Amino acid sequence: MSIKQRILDKEGWAAYRKSLRYSLHCIVRPFDGFWDLTHEKRGSMAAANTLVVLVLFTNLVRLAGTSFVFSPVNWNEVNILMEIMSFLLPFVVYCVANWCLTTLFEGKGTLKDIYIGTAYAMTPYILIQLPLVVLSNFVTEEEGAFYTYFGYFSFIWCAFLIIASVMMIHDFLVGKAFLALIFTIVGMLVIVFLLLLFFSLISDGFAYFYSLYKEIIFRFY
């Protein structure tokens, strides 16, 4: 199917909207929702990618739109690319680590299932944090407890949904899901360490060959 046909495919757009709306079902009925999300194929990569983009958009809106009282920002020190990667990199590393570790725990989910489930679990963050940006500009510092509580609530809700997604996607009980998540965090640290080691070796190798090049140029020219 060509790009033009995909854009004009009404059935495809209807399926996309349905899978995106299904994220609202997952956050209120997580156990049934995440089971059907992957086993009944109620979710889609397109909807998951949309939710990831919306999380990135929410982070940037929070950075730019939150009242200075609650989020003092020094724009001279802000790096937009780093702000994007501060979510995207841990998200991808989590999915890879969870897939690797749950395979050892005889988990049934694929890397695609984990990606979709984790993206859908981020829905409360979008739904709560965006209104909080607007709210932050209308409340005083003394009334800021509501802002803080709702902000924490969005993170707690997302954490609960991630646990539910691990249980349903991999068909784990609660104890095994917690154990898998603990090992996933360890796996994430190992992956980050290996990535840092790899880039450090690449940097050292580049520096060595560059110094060798400069030495050759200096001796012959």
Side-chain angles (χ1 to χ4, degrees):
M1 183 181 293
S2 66
I3 297 177
K4 182 179 180 180
Q5 288 175 322
R6 290 181 180 180
I7 294 175
L8 299 177
D9 183 14
K10 294 183 178 180
E11 292 183 0
W13 281 107
Y16 164 74
R17 289 192 296 270
K18 185 177 180 180
S19 63
L20 189 59
R21 284 197 304 270
Y22 192 72
S23 62
L24 301 177
H25 175 77
C26 288
I27 66 176
V28 294
R29 300 188 63 183
F31 296 105
D32 292 339
F34 284 111
W35 176 269
D36 292 341
L37 184 72
T38 52
H39 294 82
E40 301 297 330
K41 306 303 179 185
R42 299 289 297 273
S44 68
M45 283 294 293
N49 290 334
T50 301
L51 291 170
V52 170
V53 171
L54 286 175
V55 171
L56 295 174
F57 173 75
T58 301
N59 286 338
L60 295 179
V61 170
R62 284 186 63 201
L63 186 69
T66 303
S67 171
F68 188 80
V69 174
F70 301 105
S71 180
V73 177
N74 184 355
W75 285 101
N76 294 323
E77 299 177 358
V78 172
N79 186 319
I80 299 299
L81 180 60
M82 290 299 296
E83 293 295 328
I84 293 173
M85 294 306 296
S86 65
F87 167 76
L88 200 57
L89 185 59
F91 180 85
V92 173
V93 171
Y94 165 82
C95 292
V96 173
N98 187 258
W99 174 68
C100 294
L101 271 299
T102 51
T103 299
L104 299 177
F105 282 78
E106 299 180 348
K108 297 181 179 180
T110 64
L111 182 60
K112 179 182 177 181
D113 293 334
I114 295 168
Y115 177 85
I116 292 175
T118 308
Y120 274 64
M122 295 291 104
T123 304
Y125 180 82
I126 302 166
L127 296 178
I128 296 176
Q129 292 291 340
L130 283 176
L132 283 181
V133 173
V134 179
L135 180 65
S136 70
N137 292 281
F138 292 95
V139 297
T140 63
E141 188 173 3
E142 290 74 17
E143 300 167 332
F146 294 101
Y147 173 87
T148 304
Y149 292 152
F150 277 106
Y152 285 141
F153 178 69
S154 69
F155 289 109
I156 294 171
W157 195 353
C158 288
F160 170 74
L161 292 177
I162 289 175
I163 295 171
S165 72
V166 172
M167 292 175 61
M168 295 298 102
I169 290 172
H170 300 292
D171 198 14
F172 286 167
L173 297 177
V174 177
K176 196 171 184 180
F178 271 108
L179 191 62
L181 285 171
I182 291 172
F183 278 98
T184 296
I185 294 172
V186 175
M188 291 174 67
L189 295 175
V190 171
I191 291 174
V192 170
F193 171 76
L194 292 176
L195 287 174
L196 291 175
L197 182 62
F198 172 75
F199 285 112
S200 176
L201 291 175
I202 293 294
S203 177
D204 291 344
F206 177 79
Y208 169 76
F209 285 108
Y210 181 70
S211 62
L212 187 63
Y213 166 77
K214 289 177 64 176
E215 183 67 23
I216 293 173
I217 294 298
F218 176 75
R219 288 182 178 273
F220 288 95
Y221 295 96

